[in-house]
Amino acid sequence: VLIALSRGVLLLQTRRYREALAWYRKLLPLGVPSEMVAEIVRDLEARLRVEAESVLAEGRRRFAAGSYRAAAVAYAECLSLDPEHLVARRLLSEARAKMLVQLDEADRTRLERVYYEAAAQYLNREYAQAEHTLRGLLQEDETNAEARALLDRVRRSRAMQTAP
């Protein structure tokens, strides 16, 4: 019994609260001084709930600041502390959805930079490079009308350049 209790104490001292809680829950049905263990379990559950709320609040701050990935990490940590936390589960879904939108915006920005790179190549009469860049862009974004129009101009200019 003392060895079992000392293992729990060691876990508490090293701030491994989830593991300590699991350990003490295992001791409850074994007849270890149940009032003492039950009190420790209640204390640990309360401590983990407080910690979960703190992590949830941090996630909300990060979400409000637009750091959706950091918010998602915080919400996932909150769920690891309290797997039944419905608010954290909902907020994690929202953060993941925002991360996808943010990713789409980043892709659009990158595709715009590629388009402007191709336009600069065209203006510098680097038609082969511009055509290559635009083909790559259109493979990623087939609906890009500006890129398609510029590719047509590049091809006409290239054809005029090689015409006798």
Side-chain angles (χ1 to χ4, degrees):
V1 174
L2 289 175
I3 294 172
L5 289 174
S6 63
R7 167 96 170 127
V9 170
L10 178 64
L11 291 169
L12 286 174
Q13 287 174 339
T14 56
R15 300 179 53 90
R16 294 162 54 188
Y17 300 126
R18 284 181 300 229
E19 292 175 62
L21 180 60
W23 182 258
Y24 282 117
R25 281 183 177 155
K26 288 180 191 175
L27 296 178
L28 279 173
L30 298 177
V32 177
S34 60
E35 283 185 38
M36 182 179 78
V37 173
E39 185 178 333
I40 291 171
V41 166
R42 282 192 301 275
D43 180 55
L44 284 170
E45 288 172 341
R47 185 180 295 209
L48 289 174
R49 278 193 301 275
V50 167
E51 192 173 332
E53 290 302 319
S54 172
V55 171
L56 183 74
E58 179 62 26
R60 284 183 164 149
R61 281 190 292 279
R62 291 175 186 259
F63 187 92
S67 299
Y68 304 118
R69 183 176 306 280
V73 168
Y75 298 144
E77 183 181 346
C78 178
L79 285 170
S80 77
L81 294 167
D82 182 1
E84 304 300 318
H85 203 297
L86 297 177
V87 173
R89 192 172 308 282
R90 180 180 53 81
L91 292 174
L92 177 59
S93 295
E94 288 179 24
R96 285 181 174 159
K98 290 283 192 177
M99 284 169 49
L100 291 174
V101 169
Q102 204 173 41
L103 179 63
D104 288 346
E105 290 174 8
D107 278 348
R108 280 195 296 274
T109 302
R110 185 183 58 76
L111 293 174
E112 286 175 7
R113 281 196 311 267
V114 171
Y115 173 81
Y116 290 124
E117 177 185 336
Q121 292 167 339
Y122 170 72
L123 292 173
N124 290 328
R125 299 175 192 255
E126 299 166 351
Y127 302 127
Q129 289 173 322
E131 184 173 351
H132 177 75
T133 301
L134 289 165
R135 281 186 185 176
L137 173 59
L138 288 168
Q139 282 180 345
E140 291 186 61
D141 182 10
E142 308 171 340
T143 63
N144 191 324
E146 290 176 317
R148 199 165 297 286
L150 181 57
L151 181 59
D152 288 341
R153 285 197 309 267
V154 167
R155 286 180 176 157
R156 281 196 304 274
S157 297
R158 195 171 183 192
M160 288 174 38
Q161 187 181 40
T162 58

